[in-house]
Amino acid sequence: MRLTKAEWQLMNALWQGHPATAREIQSRLPRETNWAYTTVKTMLSRLVTKGALSERKDGLAAMYSPLVSRRKARLSALRSMAEEVFDGSVGMLVHFLVEEENLSPSERKKLIDALKDEDKGGAK
Amino acid sequence: MRLTKAEWQLMNALWQGHPATAREIQSRLPRETNWAYTTVKTMLSRLVTKGALSERKDGLAAMYSPLVSRRKARLSALRSMAEEVFDGSVGMLVHFLVEEENLSPSERKKLIDALKDEDKGGAK
DNA sequence: GAATGCCTTCTACAAGTGTAATAGACTGCT
DNA sequence: AGCAGTCTATTACACTTGTAGAAGGCATTC
């Protein structure tokens, strides 16, 4: 499931709360994103076709819900990026980030803690 | 400079060593990528147009070189991803990765070391 | 019951991508 | 001189993406 930038914007809006109407979604988009209502609808339909969203009729209007969790979508995006950009190595990706991005001391601390927490989180 | 998957493959091949001819580049592509020579050429031309590569005539044949460093391309890809997928927060991206991906103990160790190395690397 | 407003589906269209065939040039052999 | 091999540039074509207008259906309200 490869999402484009525009699609991420829609999905992000959806994950914020669902089910939601096209109107609601439109209103949740980043301010810069000034899409006509029908543009939003077109995009949403395409996401439905792609299997990323479900569409349920509620009276006249359609209610949309994500069919993939944000977590899974994120994982899959990162995996693709590792694949294409970091010779398939997630480890290298992380390492690059840690080296290149200026993380704040508190962020560093949190990360170190997370890294030390070897086999805790059941959230696998 | 937004690169597509196919374009990353070309660029990766280029960064492996440059300048390089289209033939060389073609031979360095991942095995699964079975592009006709003219396909490679088309892509390369498009990358030249985009400003990602330079093309220099050497006799009949063209030699290509990257105009952006791999590092910069990677940074920019990660920034976009953070933007679109992690509410603009690189920190969140890293954290997500560290939590979700099973890094090997040795990778963890390397990362912790890198994180502790607060103000070392001049490679900023 | 005619106008207003909101929703839906259909259609459109330009730009970007993936993928390549074709045809024209030049090089080197025989 | 002519053929084989290699390059290049041009052209093509289907699919995807971004962006939206148009037209038709139902509800609300004068």
Side-chain angles (χ1 to χ4, degrees):
Chain A
M1 176 94 45
R2 162 99 55 185
L3 300 175
T4 67
K5 173 173 178 171
E7 288 170 343
W8 275 100
Q9 295 187 186
L10 269 319
M11 293 302 286
N12 285 337
L14 242 298
W15 283 315
Q16 241 175 80
H18 52 265
T21 66
R23 239 4 128 174
E24 280 163 356
I25 294 166
Q26 182 185 30
S27 77
R28 289 181 199 159
L29 293 173
R31 275 161 245 38
E32 326 80 80
T33 308
N34 258 347
W35 291 337
Y37 178 71
T38 52
T39 301
V40 176
K41 284 288 290 179
T42 303
M43 296 294 234
L44 289 171
S45 299
R46 288 183 183 164
L47 282 168
V48 170
T49 306
K50 270 199 179 185
L53 295 183
S54 73
E55 185 177 358
R56 176 166 55 75
K57 263 295 158 47
D58 179 29
L60 345 183
M63 303 292 287
Y64 297 90
S65 302
L67 284 180
V68 273
S69 69
R70 191 170 203 188
R71 180 173 155 274
K72 288 216 167 191
R74 281 174 162 175
L75 269 177
S76 126
L78 282 168
R79 296 251 170 77
S80 304
M81 157 114 22
E83 193 58 48
E84 295 158 24
V85 179
F86 293 89
D87 298 321
S89 158
V90 173
M92 191 186 293
L93 196 173
V94 182
H95 198 257
F96 180 88
L97 272 173
V98 165
E99 274 194 340
E100 293 289 340
E101 292 287 350
N102 317 14
L103 301 170
S104 68
S106 82
E107 278 175 326
R108 281 168 187 273
K109 176 122 186 32
K110 276 200 305 185
L111 287 176
I112 292 176
D113 288 351
L115 281 164
K116 283 182 174 161
D117 247 17
E118 204 107 359
D119 338 67
K120 299 284 176 57
K124 277 287 169 42
Chain B
M1 176 93 47
R2 161 97 58 184
L3 300 175
T4 68
K5 173 174 178 171
E7 288 170 341
W8 275 101
Q9 296 186 183
L10 269 320
M11 294 303 286
N12 286 336
L14 242 297
W15 283 314
Q16 242 174 77
H18 52 265
T21 65
R23 237 7 126 174
E24 282 164 354
I25 294 165
Q26 182 185 29
S27 76
R28 291 181 197 158
L29 293 174
R31 276 163 243 39
E32 326 79 80
T33 307
N34 258 346
W35 290 337
Y37 178 71
T38 51
T39 302
V40 176
K41 283 288 289 181
T42 303
M43 297 293 237
L44 289 171
S45 300
R46 288 182 183 165
L47 282 168
V48 169
T49 307
K50 269 198 179 186
L53 295 184
S54 73
E55 185 178 356
R56 174 168 56 74
K57 262 299 159 45
D58 178 29
L60 348 181
M63 303 291 289
Y64 297 90
S65 301
L67 284 180
V68 273
S69 69
R70 191 171 204 189
R71 180 172 156 272
K72 287 217 169 192
R74 281 175 162 174
L75 269 177
S76 125
L78 282 168
R79 294 253 170 76
S80 303
M81 158 112 28
E83 194 57 49
E84 295 158 23
V85 178
F86 292 89
D87 298 321
S89 159
V90 174
M92 191 186 294
L93 196 173
V94 184
H95 197 258
F96 181 87
L97 271 173
V98 165
E99 273 194 341
E100 292 289 339
E101 292 287 350
N102 316 14
L103 301 171
S104 68
S106 81
E107 278 175 326
R108 280 168 188 274
K109 177 124 185 35
K110 277 200 304 184
L111 288 176
I112 292 175
D113 290 350
L115 281 165
K116 282 181 175 162
D117 250 18
E118 206 106 359
D119 341 65
K120 298 285 177 57
K124 275 290 169 39

